[in-house]
Amino acid sequence: MESSFSDIEKHWAQACIFQLQTLKIAGGYPDGSFRPDATITRAEFAVLMCKAFPNIEKKRNAITFKDLPATHWAYEAVKTAYEKEFFTGYPDGTFQPARKLQRVQALVILANGLKYTAPANSSEILKKYFEDAMQIPDYAINAVAAATAGLLVVNYPNVKQLKPNQEATRGEVAAMLSQALRLSNVVPKHYVACSELFSIQPQFYWAASFSEGLAMVTVDTKSGFIDKIGNFIIQPKFDHVGSFSEGLAPAKIGEKWGYIDKTGNFIIQPQFTSASSFVDGLAPAKIGEKWGYINKTGTFVSPQQFDAADAFSDGMARVKIGEKYGYINTTGTLVIQPQFKIAYSFSEGLAAVYAPPEREGALSQWGYIDKTGNFVIEPLYSFAYPFSDGLAKVGTGYLDKTGNFVLSPQQVEGFLSFSEGLAAASVGGKWGYMDKTGKLVIQPQFYGVDNADETIAEPFSEGLALVRIGNKAGFIDKTGKFVFQPQFDNAYSFSDGMALVNVGGKWETAVGYDSSANPVVETNFRGGIWGYIRNPLK
């Protein structure tokens, strides 16, 4: 690593400074130095913010600061930084461009300017990570907590010492900006507050959950696989991949899909227009417009005749011909003819199905079939979900596999399927969990973002459940205690001992219109970087 700066060699922030210089964000002095341990002024930081984030839109009109004439060297940068809401002035109408910037001020400017949101438990987060949290000014608590959860806080040499009111150095600011810009592997992670939370540091712009010890991640536009310590086992060279199952993963090169093993070599050459995972030795694959099922030699064992085809579940696979669903078994034989308007995959020996032809016109048309296609629970319900944990959610309660109503929760407004003995249930717009007697064992306290199509209280997986507090996600155990505080911007449930979590992403609301020109409000998650946390229970 070579830099034109004469004084950064062996400095702890050398890599950060070098990267910012390469990106033409950070500059030095006429004598060739950078002066990483020198302090920085508000005007200098305004210049850096404008260079680092040129694409952030202006949100307000500029104002005139009485101590910042148009002839000031940083006039344009300060004006732009104000318009982008990076900075505000002082009540007396000044900007004070030469005033030294404190560390806490730098973090507040970054967190607020980049629209990072604070976790609900800001004070707890700060006390957990900083020995000097009590020194943080009241006005900065939420912003510093947001910066901490967003991995913006860099503390050298002691990660537990924030030193909020100390003047920031140029090297410290370079490190904070590197974190905000998501420059990978330039800040030593042992100086980044909150980084010990992650088994694999957030660094990927897209990733998937672990399966069979490997997880798909995307670098630039190519996908590969990492192991549970974050090492690449299969380098990112594919245009798209699916998860590993039974030792193979679907992988796409150009316009064709094949299957790779865990060395990254194609075992079944790319030839399919679409492909899914192997289960029970078979995988749905498509050539042209129709789906069939292949074995692990790539040979079709069932005719390519399906308009849609799912992976096997419970020894059966749901398939679609025309507008009707049926099922095949693991020999590839169509054992239940397509006849259902809507159907779920088999689970625990039964499948929920809707409206067979002979029952058209009935008011309630959901029931359960066995693997011969016979109804074992008559279609009497307005809706039905797959069996999970021995029970199925239907209508106003839960059925067992004999079709008996075993639970009809009276004190809740909404409820989901059981998993690991508990089911999410809502009261008064907030979600908690109930046991199989209908008792609320984790009180309703979780809530999400308005108009977001995200489950607020996910099913328990590996002893932990993903829950949301506003726009933050965390994980609780079966007593309702937070094992991971709600400080992630998004997350997925634990799988294979690891959970995929996001830092720096945002929930964005947009208004669209349906076919009748009625406004439709949607909130979607975008951005940030993904990393992984490890399940402490495993």
Side-chain angles (χ1 to χ4, degrees), residues 74-233:
Y75 174 81
E76 288 297 333
V78 171
K79 175 175 173 287
T80 300
Y82 179 85
E83 291 170 329
K84 292 187 174 188
E85 295 186 345
F86 292 157
F87 279 82
T88 58
Y90 289 91
D92 63 357
T94 62
F95 183 79
Q96 301 183 25
R99 186 169 182 170
K100 301 297 185 185
L101 189 75
Q102 294 179 331
R103 284 172 51 82
V104 68
Q105 293 169 340
L107 291 170
V108 169
I109 289 166
L110 277 168
N112 289 343
L114 300 179
K115 305 304 179 189
Y116 279 35
T117 55
N121 52 343
S122 291
S123 294
E124 294 176 34
I125 293 283
L126 296 175
K127 289 175 183 176
K128 176 179 179 181
Y129 290 110
F130 307 122
E131 296 169 347
D132 53 357
M134 298 301 292
Q135 296 178 24
I136 300 171
D138 288 346
Y139 82 88
I141 286 175
N142 283 340
V144 175
T148 303
L151 300 181
L152 301 185
V153 180
V154 182
N155 296 335
Y156 172 86
N158 183 353
V159 73
K160 301 286 284 185
Q161 287 286 323
L162 179 63
K163 297 173 286 189
N165 301 308
Q166 181 173 298
E167 292 175 349
T169 68
R170 287 167 56 82
E172 289 171 338
V173 166
M176 293 177 190
L177 282 173
S178 295
Q179 287 296 103
L181 290 166
R182 305 306 178 193
L183 304 181
S184 296
N185 303 317
V186 295
V187 180
K189 68 178 183 180
H190 50 281
Y191 298 142
V192 180
C194 197
S195 65
E196 70 272 19
L197 201 61
F198 302 92
S199 292
I200 300 173
Q201 294 296 309
Q203 59 193 285
F204 306 109
Y205 285 97
W206 182 239
S209 296
F210 271 87
S211 175
E212 296 189 358
L214 298 178
M216 180 281 289
V217 297
T218 297
V219 176
D220 295 326
T221 60
K222 299 295 183 180
S223 297
F225 290 87
I226 58 171
D227 63 16
K228 291 185 179 180
I229 59 175
N231 293 329
F232 271 100
I233 302 302

Side-chain angles (χ1 to χ4, degrees), residues 216 223 225 238-244 248-260 266-278 283-288 291 294 298 300:
M216 180 281 289
S223 297
F225 290 87
F238 304 103
D239 294 307
H240 196 59
V241 294
S243 295
F244 272 94
L248 297 177
K252 186 180 184 183
I253 294 287
E255 297 301 319
K256 299 295 184 182
W257 288 83
Y259 290 83
I260 58 172
F266 275 104
I267 301 302
I268 301 174
Q269 291 300 313
Q271 57 192 286
F272 309 107
T273 52
S274 193
S276 190
S277 297
F278 274 93
K286 182 166 71 168
I287 293 179
W291 289 84
I294 60 171
F300 278 98

Side-chain angles (χ1 to χ4, degrees), residues 292-307:
Y293 287 80
I294 60 171
N295 61 22
K296 291 185 179 179
T297 70
T299 302
F300 278 98
V301 298
S302 73
Q304 293 170 247
Q305 60 179 317
F306 307 117
D307 296 300

Side-chain angles (χ1 to χ4, degrees), residues 40-68:
I40 187 170
T41 67
R42 282 169 54 82
E44 290 170 333
F45 193 48
V47 172
L48 285 174
M49 288 292 290
C50 291
K51 287 184 176 181
F53 307 105
N55 296 326
I56 290 183
E57 294 180 358
K58 296 178 180 180
K59 301 178 180 69
R60 61 186 176 187
N61 295 326
I63 62 172
T64 300
F65 294 109
K66 59 187 181 184
D67 61 342
L68 194 76

